[in-house]
Amino acid sequence: MRAVIVAAAVAFVISLFGTPVAVRVFTALKAGQPIRSIGLASNENKVGTPTMGGVVFIVATVLAYVAGHLALTTLPERQIAQEGPTMTALVLLGLFVFCGAVGFFDDILKVRRRNSDGLSAKGKLLGQALVGGGFGVAALYVPSTNGQTVASEHISLIRDISWLDVGKVGAVMVFIFVITAMSNGVNLTDGLDGLATGASILVLGAYSLIGFWQYRHWCADDGYARVNEYCYQVRDPLEIAMIAAAAAGACVGFLWWNTSPARIFMGDVGALGLGGLIGGLAVVTRTTLLSILIGGLFVIITTTWVIQIVSYRTTGRRVFRMVPLHHHFELAGWSESTIVVRFWIVAGVCVAAGLGLFYADFLAAVG
């Protein structure tokens, strides 16, 4: 637990004090967020606000992971169940950094062109697929010394579903889909000050709890497994908890400056990076299907966006006033702060329901 707390605290401090530095740097570089004129009141005063703030919380998370491992060296030998950096950490942090890199390239193009046209949709999807495929292969084809891989060949809900074996190739394809879907979901949510950041904090906090719970009931812990039949067959759960906690702490520090009125935006570098990390956390904790509920706000916003696109292209009619969904409510007369807080509540309810199902499964098994 000490390592998880240290990682979260270090990430928070770095992000809290590093973000205003990034504001000055990106302002000096004239890296302002290009704002499309789409008739929304929330956009009127945002022209020129620096973007690419996601760089701060990505760097903070990586540094905090290192700090968390330094804290591990002070723990009793029995508790040091993992040697770092592990393949699990490399996959999760790699997804965070390289999905962020795709977003960073997109942001750079927007800033240089002085408009909101960055990478094409196909280019962005290709970049996400390449990152997801590369780390998916590492997660499925690089086993630890006991033969366990970071990801599983089975589709998972709260643990692997034994009859849903898709094989290694199929599992890599699922991995790519989860990473791409979640990164785009967070990116679509990032439209109002603090909205995506706050929702991500809730989801990352949930995965930190899940990772630590799996660590305390881990099949690889001989002391626990000898007396308990019910355990979690995952790889490096303490690493998972540390990285999720570090990312959550970094986002809390960033939210101090990102809440309305935002001093800086996370940009695609932050949104795609966070989505890639959250998707990775879902796969490595064996909660792929449960992530649909835990990340419910992202799923809702993505689903309504798809409904709008399909409806307009097939019938010429719009189901919503505007997508992503938060803009629909803006046009309905809701204030930006009202939308953000209410969407956070939706995200919190989804996270609570997901954690409830996770724990209920545990109680059902040991009861």
Side-chain angles (χ1 to χ4, degrees), residues 120-131:
S120 66
K122 290 181 179 179
K124 194 179 295 185
L125 286 172
L126 177 61
Q128 293 167 318
L130 289 174
V131 173

Side-chain angles (χ1 to χ4, degrees), residues 15-25 257 263:
S15 187
L16 180 65
F17 293 102
T19 301
V21 176
V23 171
R24 291 193 292 271
V25 170
W257 307 101
R263 293 276 305 279

